[in-house]
Structures are given as C-alpha cells and as structure tokens.
C-alpha cells in the first residue's frame, strides 16, 4: 500500500490468481471471487477487505518472454517496452532506471569517441570495457548511435531477462495453494 492524493487515501492492492480468468470466462475478479479467495486470511485482513474492495478495479498482469532484440536502426526500446515483467520482485521501475543510466553512459561513450575531443577512457564501470573490444577507429557519425544502442542492449539484456524469469517464478511461488503454500509460509 502507498499514500495517494497528498496522503488522504491509500492505494491498496489485493491480488488473486483468478480461476475464472484462467478458465477463459468473461466474468472474473469480482468482489465475490476476491472475498472467497481471501476467506482463509487472518481476521484483520478479512475485516479490511470490504473497504479495499470499494473500488473494484481489476487488471490483468501480463509479460512476455525476453525480446530477441531491443534495437531497430536508430530506435531503442527501454523499460517495459523492452522487457515487461511481473511485479513480484519489484524491479520494473528499477530496470527502467538502469536502462536510462546505461543509455546515458553508452551514448556518452560512443559520442565522445566520435567527437574531436580527446576523452579519458577510465569510466570505472566494468561493463563498458565490452564496448571497446576490437574497436580500432571511430565509426562514421551516422552509425555511432545504432552501435551505441546495440552496446546498451548487450550490456542490459542478460540481466533484464534473468529478472523477467525470476519475477515469473516468484509469482508462481506467491500463488501456491494447499500444502505448497504452507511450506512457503514457514
């Protein structure tokens, strides 16, 4: 939960893995379904549930497998456009910020290589050493941005793909039922 409207109210999320939704039914995520799914919760949560359900906003959580590429010409996908992930490890926004930092560092690096300035090459980030392996001369100015974007993709794609997979696994774990839930909760 977190405060909204200058702290006047709190946004609260009650999430369930909807069996009607999984069965392809058109009616899912109803108040009755949520109340039934939380009927085994502690008393404090059951008492709070009606207030939390005053707004029956429902939405599907969706992601996809890691993309094969984030770059097409001079266009680079970042954040959820490049690597949408389930919210179960709380990394969606963090990964978008890491993408932005990587884009900034890589574009600065490639831009500096293609300017007339002499620039020190000690950025202090191990990842950036990948960028200059085998580079013997600056590339033409019309190509450097695409190369920068491809380097950014190479730096970021393994980490974001791992976090995408982890968020799916954690989603499965959070939605265990029966004895698996008992073991998880120990």
């Amino acid at each position: 939960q977190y405060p909204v409207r200058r702290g006047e109210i709190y946004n609260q999320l009650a999430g369930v893995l909807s069996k009607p939704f999984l069965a392809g039914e058109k009616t899912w995520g109803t108040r009755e379904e949520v109340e039934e799914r939380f009927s085994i919760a502690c008393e404090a949560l059951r008492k709070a549930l009606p207030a939390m359900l005053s707004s029956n906003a429902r939405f599907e959580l969706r992601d996809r497998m890691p993309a094969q590429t984030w770059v097409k010409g001079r266009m680079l996908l970042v954040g959820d456009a490049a690597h949408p992930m389930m919210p179960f490890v709380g990394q969606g926004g963090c990964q978008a910020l890491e993408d932005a930092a990587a884009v900034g560092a890589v574009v600065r690096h490639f831009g500096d290589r293609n300017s007339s300035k002499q620039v020190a090459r000690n950025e202090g980030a191990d990842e950036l050493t990948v960028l200059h392996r085998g580079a013997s001369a600056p590339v033409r100015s019309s190509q450097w941005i695409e190369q920068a974007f491809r380097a950014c993709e190479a730096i970021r794609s393994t980490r974001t793909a791992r976090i995408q997979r982890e968020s799916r696994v954690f989603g499965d774990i959070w939605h265990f039922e029966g004895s698996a839930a008992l073991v998880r909760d120990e």
Side-chain angles (χ1 to χ4, degrees):
Q1 86 182 21
Y2 54 90
V4 293
R5 202 184 300 156
R6 297 169 306 284
E8 295 172 17
I9 60 174
Y10 281 85
N11 185 48
Q12 181 74 43
L13 176 67
V16 297
L17 186 58
S18 173
K19 291 177 183 175
F21 174 79
L22 293 174
E25 296 177 21
K26 295 199 185 296
T27 303
W28 57 272
T30 64
R31 179 184 198 103
E32 294 76 22
E33 180 186 2
V34 174
E35 287 175 345
E36 185 273 321
R37 296 298 301 274
F38 281 91
S39 65
I40 61 170
C42 67
E43 183 179 351
L45 180 57
R46 287 194 318 269
K47 283 184 177 180
L49 198 57
M52 292 185 341
L53 295 174
S54 64
S55 169
N56 190 18
R58 63 183 189 156
F59 54 91
E60 300 173 38
L61 296 178
R62 293 193 177 258
D63 70 347
R64 61 170 160 70
M65 297 303 292
Q68 295 298 312
T69 185
W70 303 353
V71 179
K72 185 173 184 179
R74 295 173 57 139
M75 180 181 72
L76 169 68
L77 299 175
V78 296
D80 280 349
H83 43 74
M85 54 188 69
M86 302 302 272
F88 303 111
V89 291
Q91 284 293 304
C94 296
Q95 294 311 300
L97 290 171
E98 287 183 21
D99 287 351
V103 169
V106 170
V107 167
R108 182 175 52 252
H109 172 77
F110 274 82
D112 287 346
R113 281 182 50 195
N114 288 285
S115 71
S116 58
K117 298 187 284 185
Q118 192 66 12
V119 177
R121 292 292 172 224
N122 186 9
E123 279 91 0
D126 293 339
E127 301 166 324
L128 292 178
T129 59
V130 171
L131 300 179
H132 12 180
R133 279 193 198 135
S136 58
V139 295
R140 292 195 330 251
S141 61
S142 63
Q143 295 174 332
W144 76 267
I145 194 71
E146 184 175 347
Q147 286 188 336
F149 286 172
R150 292 212 178 280
C152 185
E153 174 187 49
I155 289 168
R156 296 284 302 137
S157 62
T158 300
R159 175 173 166 74
T160 59
R162 179 180 52 80
I163 294 171
Q164 278 182 285
R165 289 188 301 273
E166 287 173 359
S167 67
R168 271 192 219 110
V169 169
F170 274 89
D172 292 343
I173 292 169
W174 288 125
H175 291 99
F176 281 164
E177 294 184 10
S179 59
L182 294 173
V183 170
R184 174 203 62 213
D185 296 343
E186 277 302 306

